[in-house]
Amino acid sequence: MQRIEILAIALTFALIILSSAYARRFGIGREISLAGTRAVVQVLILASVILVLFRLPLYWSFVVLLVMVTIAGHTTYSRSGKLENGRVIATFSIASASFLLLIPFFLSGIFPFEARYLVPTGSIFIGNAMNISSLAIDRYRGEIKNRRAEIEACLALGASPKRAVAPSFKQGILSALIPSIDNMKNLGMVWIPGVMTGMILSGGDPVEAASIQIAIFISIFAAGMIASSLMLHYSTNSFFTQACQLKEDID
Amino acid sequence: MSFHLELRNVSKSVFHRVNETKIRTLLFSDLNLKIGRGELVTIMGASGSGKTTLLRLINRLSDPDSGTILLNSIDICSMPPQELRKKAGMVFQLPVMFQGSVRENIAFGMELWGESMDINALAKDAGVPEKLLDADTGRLSVGEKQRVCIARALSTQPELLLLDEPTSSLDSISAQKIETMLLGLQRDHDLTMVWVTHEKEQAGRIGGRRLILKDGKLEEHAED
């Protein structure tokens, strides 16, 4: 390990210790220290895996991405209130959106088709698609629960479940995308995003870094929108019975 | 003889969650009811007796535990739920408005079913003033909202109208105006109407066949 790596890890641990010590007064000190330590260990393991991946055939990169998608699907499924078929729907939604948005980067030649580019870019899309889908399904479930009277009034007129939950669907997607929209609005003004920061710090050309960053940023947004739309679309039927009745136990 | 609506040995329980335990309460068992076409039936009963649940079973927003419900001699479970709900319109106790204007609310059912009806005529039938048609529903009083709900329920051209205490949140003058309007609609459109109320006086004013849901049984209510 070089001096700069040791210093970075030392700084990380110092900040974790200070944050958790401060957070003890809110009762979340232990949680912060555990989450921080876990993050450090996970990222170091990931770095070692990526290092190994560079030397392995390319299909191993896809295996790693599939593992990431499976874990992301499980996380979003937990947010769905353990909805019927939720695990499959979440995994499918995140995978479809992430892989779909990865294709143009490699087909257009922005990135070479190598593990060095495939795994980090894929993980950015998967992680963000997971976050946005989790927010969307959590809000969607809440909206359906709170709008029961409206949904049943709509069903009572002969509307399909999809038509009856249309306002909840819209609200679910909108709420999940608000943080991304706000980030997009302030991109470059309030903050410099991760990929661009990384490229600049490693001595890259700022214009090139900005071009790649904006392409990634819009792709993250698109992946999140596609994943959350697929997630809500395919999970709608899980809130209803075969007879188009809104289920009683939506918690 | 075939009836418009028939309930045969219908039973229904509901579950309440107390702490983490689910408690089952039997609302009614082996309920039987026969209603002729164009007939007006009022169902009375105390709060929690199962009146609303009974209407929800007919509209198939819920299913019975056992028994059969027939509409035009056809088991409603064998019909597509949407088709049943088009035929059996329902007006809820608390008026629920969809986002948009009064006109959009009234047109909702028509758009669902691709039918064209005169919105102004529907609004007039339900006592919704024409000047309110383009107003946002958020600005309406409870009575006006309930009238919009009635117009909206009529927009699918139902043959059976289920009314779940439609005037319970209104003052007595507004309630009586809506009663008169609904009775006029029932006569003019030859609608079969099941009207749930907890007010004995209202049931007396409405007329028709009076039933009482008590201790899980449906009984004919004797004239006072």
Side-chain angles (χ1 to χ4, degrees), chain B residues 103-143:
Chain B
R103 188 185 298 278
E104 285 165 341
N105 267 265
I106 297 176
F108 187 88
M110 280 187 265
E111 282 167 9
L112 273 180
W113 293 97
E115 284 178 2
S116 63
M117 285 174 78
D118 184 351
I119 293 179
N120 291 33
L122 268 178
K124 192 178 170 192
D125 279 353
V128 179
E130 205 176 328
K131 63 179 182 184
L132 283 183
L133 279 177
D134 293 310
D136 190 275
T137 51
R139 289 179 44 217
L140 306 183
S141 69
V142 181

Side-chain angles (χ1 to χ4, degrees), chain A residues 148-161 163 167 170 241-246 248-249 251, chain B residues 17 22 56 59-63 81-82 85-86 88-90 92 96-98 108-109 112-113 152-153 155-156:
Chain A
R148 175 174 283 275
E150 183 187 326
I151 292 168
E152 289 198 326
C154 204
L155 291 174
L157 289 162
S160 66
R163 178 68 188 82
K170 187 178 163 190
T241 66
Q242 291 281 329
C244 305
Q245 298 154 342
L246 186 57
E248 293 291 332
D249 49 351
D251 287 316
Chain B
R17 200 181 283 271
K22 266 186 172 180
R56 288 172 61 87
N59 191 268
R60 242 195 133 192
L61 286 173
S62 303
D63 279 333
Q82 277 104 333
R85 289 168 188 159
K86 182 184 185 297
M90 187 160 171
F92 295 83
V96 179
M97 294 285 94
F98 305 147
F108 187 88
L112 273 180
W113 293 97
R152 195 174 61 193
S155 73
T156 63

